[in-house]
Amino acid sequence: MTLIPHDRTSTPAMRQSFYWTTQDGLTVRPHNMQTSHIFNCIVMLWHHFMPTEAILYPHKRYRMGSRFTAEFIETALRVLLPELAARDDLTVFQLQSLEKIAVYLRKKPNQLPTPEWHL
C-alpha cells in the first residue's frame, strides 16, 4: 500500500534518527513500536492537523505540545506511514482507515498535515 508519494517517503537517515515520544515521555523507534501504536500515532496526527474534511472518525482531542512543528509532523508521517504499510498484522479497521488516508492524499497529493489546521 502506497500512502504518500515516493519522493516524499523517508530516507534511511531520517528513519535512523527519528523517534516517537509517548505521552508518558518514553522515546521509541518506530520499528520497535507495536502496529497499533504506530496506527494510533498516525491517526492522532491526522485528526489534529488536517482539515475537517479529512477526519476519519470521531476522536479524542489532545493538547499538542510545541514539538509538533510542521517539520516534525511531516517527518513523523514520512517515517511512520511506510513503517505501518510494511506491517503484516494490520486489522481490517486499520486497513480501511489507511485506505481513506490514501484516497485523500491521492486527491490532494501535496497536502500533508500541518499545525496551521490545528483547532
Side-chain angles (χ1 to χ4, degrees):
M1 174 183 297
T2 301
L3 296 171
I4 55 178
H6 180 68
D7 64 334
R8 307 226 18 217
T9 58
S10 59
T11 64
M14 188 183 294
R15 287 189 301 276
Q16 182 66 23
S17 64
F18 181 82
Y19 61 89
W20 184 262
T21 303
T22 69
Q23 66 185 48
D24 298 326
L26 302 172
T27 57
V28 60
R29 299 264 184 230
H31 65 273
N32 292 328
M33 294 167 71
Q34 292 183 355
T35 298
S36 61
H37 190 192
I38 296 172
F39 174 79
N40 290 332
C41 292
I42 291 167
V43 171
M44 181 199 63
L45 291 173
W46 189 261
H47 282 162
H48 280 73
F49 297 107
M50 288 299 285
T52 304
E53 68 186 42
I55 301 302
L56 303 171
Y57 48 81
H59 61 283
K60 178 179 178 179
R61 303 274 315 160
Y62 292 94
R63 184 176 190 148
M64 307 304 279
S66 60
R67 75 181 173 106
F68 290 94
T69 63
E71 180 182 6
F72 175 83
I73 294 165
E74 182 169 351
T75 300
L77 290 172
R78 289 175 66 182
V79 171
L80 295 173
L81 283 167
E83 178 69 31
L84 187 64
R87 301 291 177 101
D88 61 5
D89 60 342
L90 292 161
T91 66
V92 170
F93 175 75
Q94 291 168 337
L95 287 168
Q96 290 170 341
S97 297
L98 292 174
E99 182 57 29
K100 289 178 185 177
I101 290 173
V103 166
Y104 187 87
L105 290 176
R106 281 194 292 273
K107 289 179 185 175
K108 299 185 179 193
N110 295 320
Q111 188 171 13
L112 285 176
T114 65
E116 291 90 49
W117 291 310
H118 182 65
L119 301 175

